[in-house]
Amino acid sequence: MSMHLPLPSIIHSRPHLSLAIVLGAVAAPLLPDAWPWLSRLLVSWDILVWSYLAMMLWMMTQADHHDIKRAACRQDEKGPVILATLSLAVLLSLVAIISQLATIKNLPEAELAWRYALAVLTLTGSWFMVGVMFCSHYAHLYYMEETADKPLGFQEDQLLPNYWDFLYFSFTISVAVQTSDVTVRSRRMRKVVLGQSVLCFFYNLAILGLSINIAASLING
């Protein structure tokens, strides 16, 4: 099966992500040339991430289970490829933050504060993006299962969960790197949960390390 992702297919199946990518791409060449290229890259990524989160939050607060099912039907079989690509982009943003923080020791205080603020904004946005994009994928897998034996089991045998239920499941994994009172009932779903758990474990570990490093720099500075 081809791994090619036709652009019209992506726009149709994931309009919020597509618009966020366009906003990030359009913003990139408009940023000041005086900024280091790594800072421009991180700011463009932040515009992509935070616009995606804002659009998804608005959509999720307005949607019921009928809207979720329609959105799930729009997403095609390339979902795992897109999810893996976004996960890689999140990890690359983490590498970019580490690279930038490694070169700022002798900068003026104002520039130092700007770089730290950018690092915190990027770390926070990427962490939330992981939870939201996995939430969307869980909803897709749940509502694309035609049988009564759904891949996730919610309390009280709830068969029509909304986005808040999937957010609860996804962010429990992001925060605690473990599942909640929602049961995982299929092998395919376990693979996705495993992928998020591993990604969040290393990402949370990196956040802890960077936070300690930033705090130590501010105290010693």
Side-chain angles (χ1 to χ4, degrees), residues 69-187:
K69 190 168 185 177
R70 283 193 292 269
C73 291
R74 286 199 306 267
Q75 297 182 20
D76 53 25
E77 71 277 5
K78 302 297 185 182
V81 178
I82 295 176
L83 186 65
T85 302
L86 290 174
S87 297
L88 178 60
V90 166
L91 291 177
L92 290 177
S93 73
L94 184 60
V95 173
I97 292 171
I98 295 172
S99 299
Q100 178 166 256
L101 292 180
T103 61
I104 64 174
K105 292 182 179 179
N106 299 321
L107 291 178
E109 288 188 5
E111 181 71 13
L112 200 60
W114 147 248
R115 299 292 183 87
Y116 282 143
L118 180 59
V120 171
L121 187 67
T122 306
L123 284 172
T124 306
S126 295
W127 186 85
F128 275 107
M129 186 173 188
V130 169
V132 170
M133 68 186 189
F134 272 93
C135 161
S136 179
H137 194 63
Y138 291 137
H140 167 69
L141 294 179
Y142 184 92
Y143 278 105
M144 288 307 293
E145 179 57 59
E146 298 294 342
T147 66
D149 188 18
K150 296 293 187 180
L152 290 176
F154 293 89
Q155 290 293 311
E156 301 176 356
D157 295 325
Q158 183 180 356
L159 296 178
L160 299 174
N162 60 23
Y163 276 120
W164 292 111
D165 298 300
F166 294 109
L167 283 169
Y168 165 73
F169 178 68
S170 179
F171 276 94
T172 299
I173 298 172
S174 292
V175 171
V177 196
Q178 65 180 20
T179 56
S180 58
D181 54 346
V182 181
T183 57
V184 183
R185 296 174 172 173
S186 75
R187 180 174 297 172

Side-chain angles (χ1 to χ4, degrees), residues 5 19 33 43 58 111 158 190 199 208 211:
L5 293 172
L19 179 56
D33 293 334
V43 170
W58 173 255
E111 181 71 13
Q158 183 180 356
R190 290 189 189 96
L199 174 63
L208 179 61
S211 300

Side-chain angles (χ1 to χ4, degrees), residues 12-30:
H12 172 72
S13 62
R14 292 167 179 81
H16 303 96
L17 176 62
S18 302
L19 179 56
I21 292 174
V22 169
L23 291 174
V26 169
L30 301 178

